[in-house]
Amino acid sequence: MSRIKSLKDFQQQAVDSALNLFAANRDLLDIDRLQSASREATVGQNGYLLIEAPTGSGKTLIAGQVVEKFSAQEQVVWFWFAPFKGVISQTESFLREQYLGLRLLSLKADRSASGFRAGDVFVTTWGSVAVSQKEGRIARKEGELSPSIDRMVQELKDQGFRIGVVVDEAHHGFRKGTQSFDFFKSVLDPDYTLLITATPDDKDVEIFRKQVEIERLNRITISRHDAVNSGLIKDGIKCIAYLADPDKQNLVDFEQTALRDACKLHQKLKEQLGTEGINLVPLMLVQVDSAKNSVDTAKQKLMKLGFREDQIAIHTAKEPDPHLLALANDEKKEVLIFKMAVALGFDAPRAFTLVSMRASHDVDFGVQIVGRILRVHRRLQGRSTSALLNYGYVFLADSDVQKGIAQAGERINRLETAYAAISPLAAVVRIGNSDTVQLLDSNGQSHLFHAPTPPSISIENGDSSAGLPNIGQAGQPVELPYALEILTGKISVKYPQKQDIGGLSFDSDSKESPSIESGYYQYLLKEGIPKFFKREVLPKHFDGIEAECADRFLLSAENMLQAIANNVKVKKVTLDVFTQNQLLELTDATLSSKEVALLAQSILLKSGVFNPRTLKPLLLKSVRKSFDRQGLKDQVASNEALEVILNQLLVKNPTLLSDAQKTALANHTIVEQADPIPKLIKSISPLTPSLKNVYGCIPDGLNRWETAFAQLLDSDLEDVVQWWHRNERQKPWSCSLVLPDGRNFYPDFIISADGRKSEDNLLLLDTKEAVNRDSEIIKSGVAHKSYGNVMIITQLGDRENYEWYTVRYDSRTRSAVKDRVFHTQLMKIH
């Protein structure tokens, strides 16, 4: 590391601002006979400073300058808290090389209170002083040769030293109720506190201010633009995520796709650096999740993508350690796989690309991810480089993480450069025989600050609610916002003399009126209605259907080429994290061979007719023949390759198998006469009359949709509908057809449509609410051997304002789609 780093203008202004603030606090603290309450008020005004700045903008450099320069003005000993133990040596090395005016001490060896001087710095972690950890218990315990930290701090104060604290990454583990926080408040009780963070959050800042019980948390903020303009950080970050259609979501290997694209870009960056004469090997970071084998899996995938094993470094510690920094700087390594809960605590200026396989949506996580690749390497600083080298690139295996990273960009963008201002209205005044701090507000009102005292609550005569709002106390009436009355009585139902349905009037004494016999209402079958309907069935025993299916598993050249390509089209979303601009494009994503195999197996098992153990070998044989005929024999040379090809065919083109099964089943399907339909139906209560139902009523058991459609049939003024019948499921007299997967399908309605060219002019019609459920899509486009195409209809719109639409099967999207507005005339030609 070069000595000594010069400050950028914005960094120098930040240092000057901090020094002025702490100097003002020192001057007030130096007043003789300052009392404890006054001291707390003084420190609470000018003794706390938060520096917020994007990663790479020099927060540590600024903090070090403040510590060194202020130590030349004040008798202060510093405690510098790093976020993790592994960062201590990195921080110590930086301070030792950059700031000759500071002396680095160790809490283990340098706890004797004698021989201290201004500018002494202990670099440590909160864990090192927490009594819950072994190291902390030892340090906090009195020893024969050295005092405890607690006594050392007190002796320092007794000798006239003041205490300064620097908290690096202040948002980590520094909360009220923790041992670190108690040590900060009770033992250190610092006069000067400098907090530095790259993840500003106003809510966290306010929580901290209230917990520490201070009036003002002074802030210095550095904007991203200042750091960019000074050449310290990249112009921006581009975040790439992948979106697959729901039916392909489980098939895509998002990790492999993200790694593949990151590797391509890494090589391009490497070439561009060489082209521009910059002697630097870029680094690609790969953050894996917490799964047991995630590191090995990522390593194997990277090696398949062209990296040698000796080019890949691995770091799996729970927190950063000194070896991580060495790995990040070793230019023999081009990839660093790491496995930490948060990507924090190490600098990797060589890094241009990062692949994240973690699924955290947290905005703080997003800020840390961005920070790892935001810095500009010193070999590029001050140089004019191409746009490609001016950005960092994040590739996500989980697209949902992009939301947190987008919010991270918004949070960082909210930082506007501003410097701390000294509290202009704070002063020390004499009241009686003591000094205290006075603060004047903007209205000129005087306020005196003393140590905060907890509020007292007086409880008398056992009344624990003293001082609280008088809500619902004993002996007082409670008014409820509503009253509930329960009425009991009998409900009587009378069968109406006249009812209106769909604009048609029915008299109760008409010939369709029910007869009442033995306590039941009976509805007789009308004259002229067929006594039975026909159903499709499969024979109980048949041989060779699997072989027939395999023979009809016909592959086009396009099918075969799709199967060879181990990819699928997905949407690639590139987000510019700081401008929030998005670019959407289609790209090829790698398929997950494991998921493809599982889905292919489920497709083979889907039919209850075709035995998968018999069918699969026959399909493999058929596929091999097809590839041989097309001159693609090498693609299926091994059994393993052949099985992969079959899996790809089944998953990418599921209709290949369903069409083959459908044709094979059709050749074996027979039509037979079902049992006669009942001559009458019974009901314990009267049913709603129907003009065109075969029994003259709306039968029991219809749902809301079916009832609404029955009323629509009754209101057909063009007389296309001659009559309609509710087709019940799995009754001896039910009409059914065989679906391509071997299941029986019972359409809701059998309708006699005048002019329809089918046996007895009959149409089978089914109403569907969810037409795109897996079990329902297959029903779109099926046909009965005697009655022709089945019509599927659905409602679109809200409950009060809807229209009926016919549904058709779209082979391109493999889904059921809206076709056209339903009209009874369509029943003639469907």
Side-chain angles (χ1 to χ4, degrees), residues 30 38 288 357 466 518 552 565-566 579 624 634 704:
D30 283 345
S38 299
V288 297
M357 300 176 185
S518 302
R552 297 181 180 278
N566 185 33
T579 67
R624 189 184 292 278
D634 291 344
R704 178 180 65 85

Side-chain angles (χ1 to χ4, degrees), residues 273 278 280 352 376-383 385 389:
L273 286 165
I278 302 171
L280 178 68
F352 284 84
V376 173
H377 194 277
R378 63 182 181 275
R379 295 179 205 166
L380 278 73
Q381 291 181 14
R383 301 187 59 151
T385 54
L389 299 178

Side-chain angles (χ1 to χ4, degrees), residues 697-718:
C697 63
I698 304 289
D700 278 329
L702 272 68
N703 61 29
R704 178 180 65 85
W705 279 45
E706 293 162 346
T707 300
F709 185 71
Q711 293 172 345
L712 177 64
L713 294 176
D714 281 335
S715 63
D716 174 31
L717 301 179
E718 298 184 32

